[in-house]
Amino acid sequence: MTTANTAAPATYFNLHTQGIGYLNRVREVPVRRGQPFMACDIAALHGASDDVEYTRFDCKVAGGEAERLIRDHLEDVRAERKVLIAFRIGDLWVDAFTYEKGERKGQPGASLKGRLIFIEWIKVNGQLTYKAPARQDASSAEPPSEAAEEHAPNPSHSADQAQNQATQPA
């Protein structure tokens, strides 16, 4: 009689964050040992449409399709056009750091980080430029109306300003 090793397949619990936000600070991140990767910031919108608030996410772009879409819109971001995306982020975590310069030098700070795993749609200056094919198992987010976009400014920040905003209390 032979005994087969039948280990149960690994199971995972996914925690995804989804929303809409402005794409900022697209960059290629060099790695000392290994391949460089693409990263971006997303200033996610939340709150009342007449008093929009932002939460900043620093994301590693994961997956070929998301990376292709970000690369396709790189020049729009660099030209400071309003690039609004419906996104899904996985593996959210907090990165604690100490400010090394500026008026907060020496103070602790935190940044929300995650992996950008899916882009539902993209609008550039209010014009829809990409919409993901419909999926049967997921509800799709509708692009916001033009009126909703007019109430929300484009929160384009320098790296220091974005890190300062990330640590301000809600």
Side-chain angles (χ1 to χ4, degrees):
M1 174 183 220
T2 59
T3 309
N5 185 2
T6 56
T11 57
Y12 299 92
F13 296 100
N14 293 321
L15 175 61
H16 291 165
T17 301
Q18 69 180 48
I20 65 170
Y22 289 101
L23 187 62
N24 294 301
R25 224 170 62 104
V26 177
R27 62 214 181 269
E28 191 82 21
V29 178
V31 179
R32 194 175 312 162
R33 292 183 182 159
Q35 295 294 323
F37 63 89
M38 176 160 282
C40 64
D41 285 357
I42 298 173
L45 287 79
H46 60 95
S49 63
D50 61 346
D51 189 23
V52 175
E53 295 183 45
Y54 299 94
T55 297
R56 184 183 153 275
F57 295 97
D58 185 7
C59 300
K60 177 179 181 180
V61 181
E65 183 66 7
E67 184 172 335
R68 182 188 68 77
L69 291 167
I70 297 296
R71 284 189 192 283
D72 286 351
H73 290 81
L74 178 60
E75 287 308 312
D76 293 316
V77 173
R78 287 185 178 157
E80 296 186 10
R81 294 183 189 101
K82 291 182 179 182
V83 180
L84 187 66
I85 66 173
F87 63 88
R88 188 175 312 132
I89 297 172
D91 302 328
L92 193 61
W93 59 287
V94 176
D95 182 30
F97 63 91
T98 303
Y99 286 97
E100 294 182 3
K101 55 187 171 184
E103 55 184 63
R104 291 187 169 184
K105 184 175 180 174
Q107 295 179 5
S111 178
L112 290 173
K113 297 193 177 236
R115 293 181 328 123
L116 177 61
I117 57 177
F118 182 70
I119 298 173
E120 178 74 27
W121 52 258
I122 302 174
K123 281 188 168 190
V124 178
N125 287 339
Q127 298 296 315
L128 187 66
T129 61
Y130 171 79
K131 181 153 177 50
R135 291 175 38 179
Q136 293 178 355
D137 62 352
S139 62
S140 62
E142 288 298 317
S145 68
E146 298 299 322
E149 287 181 29
E150 290 173 9
H151 293 291
N154 187 7
S156 198
H157 301 291
S158 71
D160 290 336
Q161 290 171 323
Q163 282 191 338
N164 287 343
Q165 182 184 19
T167 58
Q168 292 177 352

